[in-house]
Amino acid sequence: GIDRDNPVGATRDDLLHPGMLHLIRDAVAAARRAGRKITVCGEMAADPDGVLALHALRVDAVSVPVNQLQAVRQ
């Protein structure tokens, strides 16, 4: 996690930072080996570009705020 007041995590572009994507990829792989599922909630799951990345990384589910649901579905 990143503190929302930290300037490193303050921009939208950080959602797709290669380091973040590698961490999620590794978490998904570890979950698969353990027979577990991965669900992501928060800013990345509510962002249309973020949810595409999560889908590509084979995340099992996302939790999306109602007001972002239409944008994410598109």
Side-chain angles (χ1 to χ4, degrees):
I2 292 179
D3 179 353
R4 292 175 191 229
D5 294 328
N6 183 326
V8 172
T11 65
R12 180 185 168 288
D13 295 339
D14 288 332
L15 297 174
L16 301 176
H17 187 283
M20 179 64 76
L21 299 177
H22 286 238
L23 286 170
I24 295 168
R25 180 200 63 200
D26 292 348
V28 169
R32 296 269 184 273
R33 287 191 302 272
R36 306 295 292 230
K37 294 186 178 202
I38 294 279
T39 299
V40 176
C41 66
E43 306 252 345
M44 189 170 190
D47 180 86
D49 293 332
V51 84
L52 284 173
L54 294 171
H55 176 72
L57 293 168
R58 301 185 59 220
V59 165
D60 296 295
V62 294
S63 177
V64 179
V66 171
N67 64 334
Q68 288 297 110
L69 197 52
Q70 188 62 30
V72 169
R73 279 186 176 166
Q74 290 177 356

